[in-house]
Amino acid sequence: MSSTSASRPSDLKGHGFLFQQLVQRELRQKYQGSVLGLLWYLVNPLLLLGAYYLMFGVVLKPGFSHPAYPLFIMTAMVVWLFVQQTLPAAGDSLLAQAALLRKARFPREIIPTAVVTVQALTFAALLAIVAVLTVAFRGTLGFQLLLLPVVVLLLVLFVQGLALAISGLHAHFRDVQPIVGAILVPWFFVTPIFYRPTDITDQSLARFALEWLNPVAPFAEAVRTILYDGAVPSAQTLVYLVVVAVVALVVGAALFRRLQRDLAVML
């Protein structure tokens, strides 16, 4: 069956049950049979947070310091983990559901969107834990917390756009997902998670590259500013987040719709 019929945004409204089933299946399938089951969605990222802190905060002691350094790391790391775990999973999502794609007629965007949703739920749970810890550390509640859902929504839209593009490309070119996995390694180290650009360089060009050429960096810094600093991100940062999220979503959706026409043949 051809997949050319798929998917104006309005078409998604009539497939809520399928979307729900895909999300539940993704949640069940990943850790089915394990003792902790779905709790691994939280335990695994928390273990990664601990491991990264031990390596970069204790073993490789940086030449700078921030109060409550584990919280400094965690407020940015949760953003990175969402990106790191979502993009490879979304890349393989269409191939994993190839049988369903051949049998049923529905908007193909539902499949990578279900993957993003599952990872977003994990991200939201982790972020809630980190938010409670940072608020307890500061001992105050501020109005800047009202901006946190806005930043999170923009981040999810940004990742959704990337997920659509990667999933569509990987269905056609099977080396896309390994390339994404390879890119994520250096991308991690140039993302200001364990440092702020001002901590490691005084060169304005290098600081500009670290702060603005990496689209994940402003998201990580915005979350850290709200939770760790207890402050409001700059207007420049907020505008950047809106622009990046909209561009990623529009381009990713357009690319996916163009590539999905041949999905039935490619899969």
Side-chain angles (χ1 to χ4, degrees):
M1 178 181 294
S2 172
S3 59
T4 57
S5 62
S7 55
R8 296 182 303 273
S10 59
D11 294 335
L12 299 175
K13 297 178 181 177
H15 296 84
F17 179 75
L18 174 60
F19 175 75
Q20 180 183 353
Q21 292 301 305
L22 287 172
V23 169
Q24 292 177 350
R25 179 179 178 182
E26 177 74 14
L27 285 168
R28 288 193 305 264
Q29 199 171 35
K30 192 166 185 179
Y31 297 114
Q32 188 174 17
S34 65
V35 175
L36 292 179
L38 297 180
L39 285 177
W40 276 113
Y41 273 94
L42 291 179
V43 173
N44 192 39
L46 288 172
L47 290 175
L48 285 174
L49 285 172
Y52 284 134
Y53 168 67
L54 287 176
M55 177 58 66
F56 294 98
V58 178
V59 178
L60 303 175
K61 294 181 180 180
F64 51 86
S65 62
H66 293 277
Y69 191 54
L71 293 178
F72 176 85
I73 294 175
M74 285 191 293
T75 48
M77 179 64 78
V78 289
V79 173
W80 174 256
L81 287 176
F82 175 48
V83 175
Q84 181 188 48
Q85 295 182 353
T86 303
L87 298 187
D92 194 48
S93 60
L94 294 176
L95 297 181
Q97 300 291 346
L100 177 62
L101 286 168
R102 296 190 193 101
K103 294 176 182 178
R105 182 176 181 142
F106 61 93
R108 277 34 181 160
E109 292 97 329
I110 286 179
I111 293 176
T113 301
V115 173
V116 174
T117 300
V118 169
Q119 297 298 337
L121 292 173
T122 308
F123 167 60
L126 284 173
L127 189 61
I129 294 172
V130 173
V132 169
L133 292 174
T134 52
V135 169
F137 167 71
R138 290 200 326 272
T140 58
L141 283 171
F143 71 91
Q144 77 281 351
L145 289 173
L146 297 175
L147 283 175
L148 188 60
V150 177
V151 173
V152 169
L153 175 61
L154 292 173
L155 175 61
V156 172
L157 294 178
F158 167 71
V159 172
Q160 169 74 4
L162 294 184
L164 288 171
I166 292 170
S167 62
L169 287 169
H170 185 65
H172 287 70
F173 311 102
R174 303 303 164 83
D175 50 358
V176 169
Q177 187 190 38
I179 290 173
V180 170
I183 291 173
L184 286 170
V185 175
W187 195 355
F188 167 72
F189 289 102
V190 298
T191 301
I193 296 171
F194 306 98
Y195 59 89
R196 281 185 163 128
T198 52
D199 293 330
I200 61 174
T201 181
D202 293 327
Q203 298 183 8
S204 58
L205 185 60
R207 286 168 55 182
F208 175 83
L210 289 170
E211 290 173 349
W212 302 111
L213 296 186
N214 173 3
V216 176
F219 284 105
E221 187 57 32
V223 171
R224 179 152 55 198
T225 299
I226 292 170
L227 292 180
Y228 180 81
D229 297 333
V232 175
S234 67
Q236 185 181 14
T237 298
L238 294 174
V239 170
Y240 182 98
L241 299 187
V242 172
V243 172
V244 167
V246 171
V247 169
L249 186 61
V250 170
V251 173
L255 182 60
F256 185 91
R257 287 171 187 156
R258 181 172 181 177
L259 292 172
Q260 73 173 348
R261 299 169 187 170
D262 301 322
L263 277 182
V265 177
M266 300 302 299
L267 298 176

